[in-house]
Amino acid sequence: MRKIIFAILAFYVAQTEAQPRWTAMQCMQYAVEHNHEVRRAELELDNYQVAKTSAAGRFLPAVDANIGAQYNFGRAIDPETNGYTNVSTFYNGYSIQASLPVFDGFNRLHALKAAKASVLMGHQALRQQQDQTALSVLQAYVNVAYEEGMVRMAQEKLQETELLLRQTRLLEEVGRKSGADVALVESQYAEADYEVTRQQNLLAAALLELKKEMAYPVADSLAIVVPVDDAPSASHESGLSDFHRHDVLQPFCSPVHPALQQAHYLVETSKHEWNQARASLYPTLSLSAGLSTTYYKTLHTQTASSFGKQFNNNMGEYVGVTLSIPIFNRMQTVSNIRKAKNNYQMACEAYEQKHAELEKLSREAWLDWQGYLKQTVQMEKKVEADSLAYLLTYHQYEEGLSTAIDLYTTSAQLLHSKATLLQCRLMAMVKEQLVRYYQGITIWTE
């Protein structure tokens, strides 16, 4: 049964290694293209663009055409004599009119400016959602890389424990080890076997989370490139190999950060909406012009003029000017102005709050990045020391100068150091990209 299980695992590993592996950049780009929140942000941006088109269309004249038909029977007014008649008649009317606001207190102008600011805000909201999706995928990607490293370490530990168990049994046969030593190593082997299974389950869960963040089909297989197999020392610049690099990273938040830009354009939109509300206090002036004609016929008679003759003879034109002066509308204008002003002030407060928040987060990310770089250097030295201690304890165990408990303790300490080193390297990569994000650098594009 054990041979069958190992054969199945070997086949699975072979299949996994045969399929192409995804880099962090590829995972983030796939997520940005397929994530549902990103698609919603794209649709929201399209709504802003539609609103901008509608605001620009208000500068064009409005043109309407009407066609009406009316059948009268019984007592009615004869349009030819303007007297009453009891005969059935047919009436047909045609009209076309155009109207154009000349002055409206710059209402349309401020509405257009507000719509343009909303479009820019929508672009920044889309970029913000893309960046947030990329960061979530990067974190999930790093979790998978960490769990793969832990599975690899657990498997190496299992192989070492299996070799140690064989050696201890041989030493027991020649009388250099007791049955208690064999039982203790067997317990360590069972624990190592359990740890492999546990880490494999954690890897499967992390891989499912990565697929969810990417909007990747859960049933399809996905393999990633582990970026720390041959990772350089943290004393040098560290980072995922498929990320583009920049020369200087400083602990500050860029003014072009999408979240800050989104808050800025919200201020601009609120300001123009406030001006638009105040425009309701001004009078409005508009022009209008139109054409109209009619056709009339008394039914059951042949005395009516032809349609073409009446259409031309009854043709009329008009041009009009309308001036509307607001006097009192039950305090609606004043209330709207006050609410728009409050919205503008709230947007200004939100901008200042967002700026302070991002400044704090950017400095925290930079400090975390520097901290993980230093921790990586320290953990590299600790892994070297723990590796040497494990080798010395192993040789002492072979010579009978140490017990299996001592060997287990040094082995567990070495494994913990390797896991911590792997975590520090991966977190240094994540924090570096987070610093770039706060500086306004798009991390998911080449």
Side-chain angles (χ1 to χ4, degrees), residues 77-136:
I77 297 178
D78 188 345
E80 294 182 356
T81 62
N82 203 28
Y84 288 99
T85 180
N86 290 323
V87 296
S88 299
T89 58
F90 175 76
Y91 175 83
N92 192 199
Y94 302 87
S95 65
I96 182 171
Q97 58 274 346
S99 61
L100 176 66
V102 178
F103 178 77
D104 59 354
F106 304 105
N107 184 294
R108 292 171 297 163
L109 180 62
H110 291 302
L112 180 59
K113 290 182 178 180
K116 288 181 178 179
S118 296
V119 170
L120 296 175
M121 182 177 64
H123 280 290
Q124 296 302 323
L126 173 60
R127 182 186 170 191
Q128 171 72 3
Q129 186 59 54
Q130 291 172 337
D131 289 345
Q132 290 292 336
T133 299
L135 287 174
S136 299

Side-chain angles (χ1 to χ4, degrees), residues 28 31-33 35-42 121-137 213 257-259 262 437 444:
M28 289 189 292
V32 168
E33 293 175 0
N35 184 267
H36 301 295
E37 294 296 330
V38 173
R39 291 183 177 180
R40 288 178 56 185
E42 291 174 348
M121 182 177 64
H123 280 290
Q124 296 302 323
L126 173 60
R127 182 186 170 191
Q128 171 72 3
Q129 186 59 54
Q130 291 172 337
D131 289 345
Q132 290 292 336
T133 299
L135 287 174
S136 299
V137 170
E213 294 293 340
H257 189 276
Q262 186 178 355
Y437 161 72
W444 51 271

Side-chain angles (χ1 to χ4, degrees), residues 159-168 171 177 387-403 406-408 410-411:
Q159 293 175 358
E160 292 176 2
T161 307
E162 184 178 6
L163 293 176
L164 180 63
L165 179 59
R166 293 177 182 177
Q167 185 178 9
T168 304
L171 293 175
K177 294 294 180 182
S387 298
L388 180 59
Y390 174 74
L391 290 176
L392 292 176
T393 305
Y394 187 82
H395 291 311
Q396 291 177 355
Y397 178 78
E398 290 179 332
E399 296 174 0
L401 300 178
S402 64
T403 64
D406 297 330
L407 184 61
Y408 173 78
T410 55
S411 176

Side-chain angles (χ1 to χ4, degrees), residues 150-385:
M150 293 301 297
V151 168
R152 184 175 63 253
M153 293 180 193
Q155 291 173 343
E156 292 174 356
K157 176 65 176 177
L158 180 62
Q159 293 175 358
E160 292 176 2
T161 307
E162 184 178 6
L163 293 176
L164 180 63
L165 179 59
R166 293 177 182 177
Q167 185 178 9
T168 304
R169 286 172 177 172
L170 292 176
L171 293 175
E172 181 192 16
E173 293 177 359
V174 298
R176 295 179 58 183
K177 294 294 180 182
S178 64
D181 293 328
V182 174
L184 184 58
V185 176
E186 288 178 346
S187 174
Q188 295 175 7
Y189 177 79
E191 181 180 355
D193 194 12
Y194 161 78
E195 186 65 19
V196 170
T197 303
R198 190 178 76 87
Q199 293 298 336
Q200 288 175 342
N201 291 335
L202 293 176
L203 173 60
L207 194 58
L208 284 176
E209 181 65 21
L210 175 60
K211 291 179 180 180
K212 181 184 77 69
E213 294 293 340
M214 292 174 57
Y216 188 85
V218 178
D220 294 348
S221 59
L222 177 66
I224 69 168
V225 176
V226 180
V228 293
D229 290 339
D230 299 317
S233 172
S235 59
H236 302 85
E237 287 188 341
S238 65
L240 298 177
S241 59
D242 53 345
F243 285 131
H244 59 279
R245 305 205 58 83
H246 295 264
D247 296 334
V248 180
L249 290 178
Q250 298 295 333
F252 69 90
C253 179
S254 172
V256 298
H257 189 276
L260 196 59
Q261 287 289 298
Q262 186 178 355
H264 167 71
Y265 288 122
L266 179 59
V267 172
E268 293 295 319
T269 301
S270 302
K271 179 180 178 181
H272 291 302
E273 289 177 348
W274 180 24
N275 293 329
Q276 185 181 359
R278 290 191 293 182
S280 301
L281 296 174
Y282 296 94
T284 59
L285 179 66
S286 60
L287 296 177
S288 59
L291 299 173
S292 63
T293 185
T294 60
Y295 170 75
Y296 174 82
K297 180 182 180 182
T298 301
L299 300 180
H300 310 297
T301 64
Q302 302 296 329
T303 60
S305 301
S306 64
F307 177 84
K309 185 177 180 179
Q310 289 193 41
F311 189 88
N312 293 326
N313 293 339
N314 297 337
M315 181 72 68
E317 304 88 10
Y318 71 92
V319 177
V321 179
T322 303
L323 178 63
S324 176
I325 303 175
I327 298 177
F328 180 73
N329 64 346
R330 295 172 294 183
M331 305 299 293
Q332 294 298 315
T333 300
V334 176
S335 300
N336 292 336
I337 292 175
R338 186 173 178 179
K339 288 191 294 184
K341 181 180 179 181
N342 291 338
N343 290 336
Y344 169 69
Q345 293 177 342
M346 287 189 295
C348 292
E349 294 295 333
Y351 175 81
E352 296 298 332
Q353 181 182 5
K354 179 62 68 174
H355 184 271
E357 179 185 353
L358 292 175
E359 192 69 27
K360 170 182 173 292
L361 293 175
S362 64
R363 292 182 181 274
E364 285 182 351
W366 191 83
L367 292 174
D368 291 342
W369 177 42
Q370 296 300 314
Y372 278 116
L373 289 179
K374 295 177 182 178
Q375 292 176 33
T376 302
V377 175
Q378 297 167 353
M379 290 308 303
E380 286 176 346
K381 296 178 181 179
K382 189 174 187 303
V383 167
E384 293 179 0

Side-chain angles (χ1 to χ4, degrees), residues 46-60 112 115 119:
D46 187 65
N47 286 339
Y48 288 135
Q49 292 173 338
V50 171
K52 176 184 174 182
T53 303
S54 177
R58 293 178 59 187
F59 287 88
L60 301 176
L112 180 59
V119 170

